[in-house]
Amino acid sequence: MRIISGTHKGKQIFPDKSFSARPTTDFAKENLFNVLKNYIDLEEIRVLDLFSGTGSISYEFASRGASAIISIEQNYKHYAFIKRTAQELGFSKMKVFKNDAFQACKKLQGQKFDIIFADPPYQLENLPAIPSAIFDNDLLADEGIVVIEHPAHIDFTRHPRFSEHRRYGSVNFSIFR
């Protein structure tokens, strides 16, 4: 796993071998960020990273100059790794919280984020409820973007805020606005 661009471009991140998180592939991450930078200036934005896992997406936003990143991870081992790695990389604008993503959405109600990224475990039972948790709690800024990484069998196209679907290899992203 590596940081694709920005101040820490090329920096390799090595999670513990016993890590159970499934990080977004570098190929999919690079393509997603190419799409995002066409929609929004990635510097000085506020980012919410739900189901942070290894922290890969948060590090990418921090490296590209986001003004604030909130990373939410429920697993203590993953949370501790993200927090430690962010500190080692000097990402002072990145805050990491150990919490359930759905509870975090409620706690953050009314705060506005320019980009919200969610990469839940693919076996998560209530994965289809993620857009509602975000939009019902009014977390997205005007002109903001929500990206949800999900397995191919999940279809968000009927959601009223759905914008587009992108697929990179076996990785699927649904984008909401």
Side-chain angles (χ1 to χ4, degrees):
M1 176 175 76
R2 68 186 167 91
I3 297 175
I4 306 297
S5 190
T7 59
H8 289 67
K9 179 181 180 177
K11 175 73 176 162
Q12 296 265 342
I13 310 290
F14 298 101
D16 194 37
K17 290 187 190 291
S18 65
F19 233 61
S20 61
R22 171 198 34 76
T24 303
T25 65
D26 287 351
F27 170 73
K29 184 170 56 172
E30 185 169 9
N31 281 288
L32 174 65
F33 274 85
N34 285 338
V35 169
L36 291 176
K37 71 181 181 185
N38 286 314
Y39 291 141
I40 191 169
D41 182 357
L42 299 178
E43 288 186 29
E44 299 303 317
I45 60 169
R46 290 182 41 85
V47 176
L48 176 60
D49 183 7
L50 299 169
F51 308 96
S52 294
T54 61
S56 171
I57 297 295
S58 291
Y59 309 141
E60 195 67 45
F61 280 113
S63 180
R64 292 170 186 248
S67 64
I69 302 117
I70 294 180
S71 303
I72 306 295
E73 176 53 50
Q74 185 171 9
N75 179 296
Y76 179 79
K77 185 177 182 179
H78 299 182
Y79 153 81
F81 174 80
I82 297 166
K83 192 168 178 124
R84 182 178 65 251
T85 303
Q87 236 174 359
E88 290 170 359
L89 294 172
F91 292 148
S92 61
K93 296 182 179 181
M94 193 174 147
K95 305 295 179 223
V96 186
F97 297 97
K98 184 191 171 304
N99 203 341
D100 169 80
F102 292 96
Q103 290 176 4
C105 286
K106 288 178 185 172
K107 287 182 180 180
L108 295 167
Q109 185 173 28
Q111 290 191 44
K112 299 293 185 179
F113 298 92
D114 301 296
I115 294 184
I116 300 172
F117 182 85
D119 181 8
Y122 281 6
Q123 73 278 10
L124 184 70
E125 251 181 61
N126 54 347
L127 191 152
I130 294 170
S132 295
I134 292 166
F135 292 114
D136 291 354
N137 288 294
D138 197 26
L139 298 175
L140 192 63
D142 294 341
E143 307 302 316
I145 299 168
V146 173
V147 178
I148 300 176
E149 184 174 335
H150 58 86
H153 72 274
I154 300 288
D155 181 5
F156 288 111
T157 58
R158 290 195 172 98
H159 191 280
R161 304 283 297 265
F162 175 82
S163 177
E164 64 184 280
H165 176 263
R166 298 279 179 141
R167 182 177 178 174
Y168 303 104
S170 63
V171 179
N172 290 271
F173 296 111
S174 284
I175 298 173
F176 303 78
R177 304 193 100 195

